[in-house]
Amino acid sequence: MPGKGVKRGKGKEGGAGESAESRRGFMLAAVEEASLGVRNGDGGPFGAVIVRDGEIISRAHNMVVALNDPTAHAEVLAIRKACRKLGRFSLHDCEIYSSCEPCPMCFSAIHWARIPCLFYGCTRKDAEKIGFDDNVLYKMLRGSYTGSKFRSVRMSREECLKAFELWRKDTKSIHY
C-alpha cells in the first residue's frame, strides 16, 4: 500500500545491491512459491521470498485456505520464517520479493519488519481482475468507503492506558 513518503517503482528494475539478473531470479522464486500454493490448493496465487546478502533466507506462499487463517499471506509467512531463522524481529538488512503488490496488511508487516526494499510483480489491479479486490480496504483506510457494516468503537481507554504506562516505565522494554 505504498503512499505518501514511500518510493514506489513504476516498472523500473532498481533498488538494492543485487544485479538485475539476481533480482529476476529472486522474483522467479516468489512466482514458483505462488504456483506451488495454487497447485497444492493452499490459497491464492501469491508467493514471497526474503533475501539477505544475496541469499534467499525464507520463502512462502499464501496458506489462507490450508490453515483457515485469513492472515496467512505469503509476505507475512515469509517474514515470520525469516525472523525465526535470524532470531530477531528486524529485517532491516533484507529485501522482500513478492509475486504481487502487497495488500495493506502485508505492506504494514513489511514496514514493521523494517524491510527497506520491496520488489513486486503483479499489481493490485492484476489481482482485482482475478477476484482479489483490496480496493475496499484502501477506501476504508482513507475513510472514503461507506458500504461496510464494519464498526470501530473506542472504549475503556483509561483502563487500556494502564498497559501503556507499564510499558513506558519498564526499563526492560524493547522498543521497535
Side-chain angles (χ1 to χ4, degrees):
M1 184 180 115
K4 281 187 174 179
V6 177
K7 293 180 183 176
R8 183 176 182 174
K10 300 271 184 186
K12 291 182 181 177
E13 297 280 330
E18 304 300 327
S19 71
E21 186 175 325
S22 294
R23 287 191 301 270
R24 185 174 186 282
F26 298 142
M27 183 58 73
L28 292 178
V31 173
E32 287 173 18
E33 275 296 318
S35 299
L36 177 64
V38 171
R39 285 193 299 275
N40 290 346
D42 292 332
F46 307 102
V49 299
I50 295 182
V51 174
R52 180 174 181 247
D53 295 331
E55 178 184 335
I56 294 175
I57 62 167
S58 73
R59 56 179 70 223
H61 57 266
N62 184 294
M63 296 282 292
V64 169
V65 173
L67 298 177
N68 290 317
D69 179 352
T71 68
H73 291 201
E75 297 90 342
V76 170
L77 296 176
I79 288 169
R80 289 175 182 165
K81 287 179 182 180
C83 288
R84 277 194 305 271
K85 182 173 185 169
L86 297 176
R88 54 188 164 96
F89 55 80
S90 175
L91 301 177
H92 62 276
D93 54 350
C94 299
E95 301 170 345
I96 187 165
Y97 293 77
S98 178
S99 62
C100 187
E101 182 177 4
C103 72
M105 177 184 70
C106 292
F107 183 79
S108 296
I110 291 165
H111 166 79
W112 288 118
R114 303 295 190 239
I115 299 173
C117 192
L118 158 69
F119 295 92
Y120 64 91
C122 296
T123 67
R124 65 177 101 157
K125 290 192 183 300
D126 296 325
E128 185 176 4
K129 289 176 186 174
I130 61 166
F132 293 91
D133 184 7
D134 295 339
N135 278 331
V136 168
L137 295 174
Y138 291 107
K139 288 177 183 176
M140 287 176 78
L141 289 170
R142 285 192 307 267
S144 62
Y145 185 72
T146 58
S148 176
K149 293 181 181 175
F150 175 80
R151 294 180 343 145
S152 177
V153 180
R154 188 180 80 187
M155 59 180 283
S156 304
R157 180 174 178 264
E158 292 303 316
E159 291 84 355
C160 296
L161 282 172
K162 291 175 184 174
F164 280 33
E165 188 62 20
L166 280 175
W167 168 263
R168 191 183 66 73
K169 288 180 178 178
D170 187 350
T171 59
K172 293 179 240 140
S173 294
I174 298 172
H175 293 263
Y176 52 93

